[in-house]
Every structure is written in C-alpha cells, then in structure tokens.
Amino acid sequence: MNRAEIIHWLRTSDEAALESLWREADAVRRREVGDAVHLRGLVEVSNQCVRQCAYCGIRAGNRTISRYTLRLEEILASVALAQQFGYGSVVLQAGETSQGLPTEWVAEVIREIRRRAPEMAITLSLGERGEKAFETWRLAGADRYLLRMESSNPTLFRKLHPQHPGWEFRLAALKQLQEIGYEVGSGVMIGVPGETWDDLAADIEMFRTLELDMVGVGPFLPHPQTPMGVEKPTFNDELTTLKTIALTRLLCPRVNIPSTTALAAIDRESGHERGLSRGANVIMPNVTPPQYRQLYEIYPSKANTLEAAETFDRKLQERIRAMGRSVGVGRGNSRRKYK
Ligand code: 5AD
C-alpha cells in the first residue's frame, strides 16, 4: 500500500469499503498474532517532568498540578497487582526527569521487580534519558521501551515540542534503544492542530520503516492547561483512530498494537473493544495507586481513571471473552518479522 492509498483510506467515509478494511485488519490480526489480548499493567511512576511538550498536561510549565514520585514500595505494590491479575508485562511510565528519577534508582527498581516477578516483561516509558541510562536499565533487566515519535513530520514535531533539540534526536533515541536490544514501541497522537492527512499517512509508513515491535496511537485530546489545548484539533476522532489502527495492522502485520486509553476516553462505552476488533491485540490497564491517578493527567478525564484496578480487570477480562477472544498468557513478546 502506498502513500496515496493510505490517504484514500484515511479520507473515505464509504461504509461498505470501511467494512472491508475492518474485516481485512481483523483477519490479518488473527492470522499473524492470534486471538490473545495481552494485558500490560501501567504504573504511572512520576508526573515530574522537565519537558515543555505543548500538548501534555504534565509539562514542566503546568504549575497548577502538584508533583509526585511513587516510593519503591508503592511501585512494587502496583507490580504485585499486575502479577496477581496475570499480566504479562508491567510498564513503568513517567515524565522525563533525571532529578526525580535518577538512573541508578530506576535500575534498582528494575532489579527488584526482576527478583519478585521473574516471569514478567519489564517495559519502560521514561522519555529520552540518553544512551547511558538506556544501557544501564537494559543491563538491570528491562526488556522493552516505549517512546512515541508523536509525528513523523519534523516541522510538526518542533511545534509539538518547543525547546526540544529536534526530531532527529527522537529518531536517534529510537535507534539506540533498538541497538541496545530492547523491544521498541513508538507511535503518534492523531489529529493534533496543524496535522494533515499526508502527515498521518507518513506516520503509518514510518511505523513500517522503523521496524517497530509495538505501535501505540490515540486521538489528541486538548488539555486546557497547555498551549495546544486552546487550538483547534484536526481529525482527533474515533473513526480516524480506528482507521489508523487497521492500516497499521495491514502494514506491520505482526506488530503489537494497544487499544489505547485515549481511544477509550472518547468512547467509554466500547472504545477498547472497537480497537481490538479493528487490528489491536493489547490493552494496558492502569495499576497505579488510585490516589495518584488524577495527578497524572496528560490529557483531561482519562477513562476509568478512578476505577479500582480489580474492578477494571474483572470487567475487562469478561469483555475480552465476550468478544470471542482470549486473555493472553505469558509475556506476549513481539513476533515482528519485517521483510
Ligand atoms: N492527548 C492525547 N495524548 C496525549 N499524550 C500526551 N498528551 C496527550 C494529549 N493531550 C500521549 C503522548 C505520549 C503518551 C504517553 O501520551 O503521545 O507519548
């Protein structure tokens, strides 16, 4: 599929054609990665951040939120929950901060999780912390790293990330992570102010070029306490998000694709299910201690933000089975094979 064909799909509202796209994406998903839905427990370790990303609610410039970093015991309790629910991986996510999360401290956390949950994959989502930190954490036992590109268009990237050295540095960080031996996930927000159909099509092509193990996409959700929160979004809707998931599945058949919280935030009723039936095969339930969740507002009213992990997990596993899918067993490693 070339750029023009991707753009054609992104723009179409022909329902019969879309039915064939959904069917094809679902068939490729079933054939290439199977019916299992892999669950990864998300731990929002810290909302401290030195970056000024123009879209993100926990950007350094937002002085209206109080900042926290979980203590080691709180992280371990969250991991224990994920382990108890049988999740194959735990994702440690935070704003970007070397002061708040010193490299050595994170390494110690990783080693402790490894000791207690040897069967789980450890996934990090801690921003661009540099090659040295990436290596230290890999040696400590981390397996995967999530770092979204946010856009494949360097000009748009600059607008999204004031004070950032630039798109090439994000690309270089992704390469470093791959060379160090992580399974690497990336992705973009959909429908940011100023984005074009050509930009989004190029994003989808880039997922393939980068040979990613995981691709996470979700709609841009304006956050009022950010510079971009007052601009007009473009196509940050559910249909465009679902098309992006389906097209990603067709271009990267074996990649792991989450049905994201941002998608569920714009369709609380069935966002997760719709993503899963149009190409996605992963969900990342939040296992952060509830009292911290409102403070990790990267976008407003994250879905299920305050629901207890136990309740969410029970309902989720039921919903997965009701769809005729199974709950993943084991780590759910990347099966990617490009070319
Ligand atoms: N809307 C949607 N997604 C957002 N993210 C950050 N801010 C927003 C927002 N306002 C996404 C980014 C980031 C991920 C952790 O959350 O893509 O990489």
Side-chain angles (χ1 to χ4, degrees):
M1 201 182 313
N2 61 32
R3 176 86 56 97
E5 286 168 314
I6 297 174
I7 293 175
H8 170 78
W9 279 117
L10 291 174
R11 301 186 68 127
T12 191
S13 53
D14 177 337
E15 296 206 3
L18 284 173
E19 276 311 315
S20 77
L21 177 65
W22 309 141
R23 257 199 316 276
E24 176 76 6
D26 199 41
V28 172
R29 187 272 308 152
R30 176 171 305 122
R31 186 179 74 224
E32 301 292 338
V33 295
D35 278 333
V37 177
H38 297 285
L39 306 180
R40 333 287 205 194
L42 177 68
V43 188
E44 295 159 339
V45 172
S46 173
N47 68 354
Q48 294 193 58
C49 193
V50 298
R51 293 289 192 189
Q52 292 290 1
C53 307
Y55 48 85
C56 182
I58 66 168
R59 69 201 298 273
N62 184 2
R63 308 256 173 242
T64 69
I65 49 171
S66 56
R67 304 283 172 167
Y68 74 90
T69 298
L70 298 187
R71 286 176 290 114
L72 173 64
E73 306 81 77
E74 293 172 314
I75 299 174
L76 294 174
S78 309
V79 173
L81 262 188
Q83 191 177 26
Q84 177 195 321
F85 299 150
Y87 297 169
S89 177
V90 67
V91 183
L92 306 182
Q93 189 178 83
E96 196 173 307
T97 166
S98 44
Q99 271 220 325
L101 296 173
T103 302
E104 225 359 90
W105 185 77
V106 174
E108 197 41 51
V109 172
I110 294 166
R111 283 190 285 269
E112 195 53 40
I113 296 173
R114 253 292 134 270
R115 271 195 282 278
R116 296 181 184 217
E119 76 286 4
M120 285 175 104
I122 299 176
T123 307
L124 305 178
S125 180
L126 304 173
E128 280 179 54
R129 288 288 302 271
E131 201 161 9
K132 189 79 203 318
F134 294 159
E135 276 167 0
T136 304
W137 297 337
R138 178 87 185 108
L139 286 172
D143 305 280
R144 306 176 183 159
Y145 208 100
L146 308 180
L147 180 62
R148 283 193 182 174
M149 177 74 97
E150 315 295 1
S151 172
S152 60
N153 175 341
T155 311
L156 191 54
F157 184 93
R158 175 152 302 291
K159 180 178 169 200
L160 293 167
H161 304 104
Q163 296 174 34
H164 185 282
W167 183 86
E168 314 76 57
F169 287 81
R170 179 62 55 96
L171 188 67
L174 287 167
K175 295 277 172 226
Q176 284 163 5
L177 289 164
Q178 284 178 321
E179 272 158 28
I180 292 167
Y182 285 97
E183 279 187 21
V184 174
S186 193
V188 297
M189 288 178 297
I190 296 170
V192 300
E195 184 178 351
T196 65
W197 293 116
D198 194 62
D199 290 331
L200 180 53
D203 292 344
I204 298 170
E205 288 184 314
M206 183 192 64
F207 301 152
R208 177 171 56 187
T209 332
L210 290 179
E211 308 200 345
L212 298 169
D213 298 289
M214 292 166 271
V215 174
V217 299
F220 162 67
L221 299 163
H223 189 300
Q225 255 87 48
T226 63
M228 239 177 208
V230 297
E231 286 186 62
K232 198 175 149 22
T234 48
F235 34 74
N236 62 340
D237 55 275
E238 182 171 25
L239 182 59
T240 308
T241 305
L242 294 170
K243 287 174 177 176
T244 306
I245 290 174
L247 292 164
T248 301
R249 174 59 67 204
L250 297 184
L251 269 78
C252 313
R254 313 203 90 183
V255 79
N256 283 324
I257 304 179
S259 186
T260 56
T261 308
L263 173 59
I266 57 172
D267 177 359
R268 282 171 184 265
E269 213 35 47
S270 48
H272 274 317
E273 274 101 335
R274 288 207 170 124
L276 289 176
S277 63
R278 286 154 175 77
N281 69 323
V282 168
I283 288 189
M284 297 167 59
N286 197 336
V287 293
T288 310
Q291 67 270 33
Y292 295 104
R293 295 198 200 166
Q294 313 93 298
L295 298 176
Y296 200 82
E297 249 200 355
I298 49 187
Y299 47 81
S301 58
K302 283 176 19 222
N304 314 306
T305 275
L306 295 171
E307 194 166 32
E310 289 83 354
T311 321
F312 181 78
D313 177 68
R314 188 167 28 76
K315 288 197 216 153
L316 177 68
Q317 301 211 17
E318 270 166 28
R319 278 152 67 202
I320 290 170
R321 292 197 188 91
M323 291 178 73
R325 303 277 284 271
S326 60
V327 175
V329 182
R331 291 183 170 211
N333 284 336
S334 166
R335 307 202 204 175
R336 111 187 133 84
K337 239 191 270 156
Y338 287 85
K339 288 184 292 262

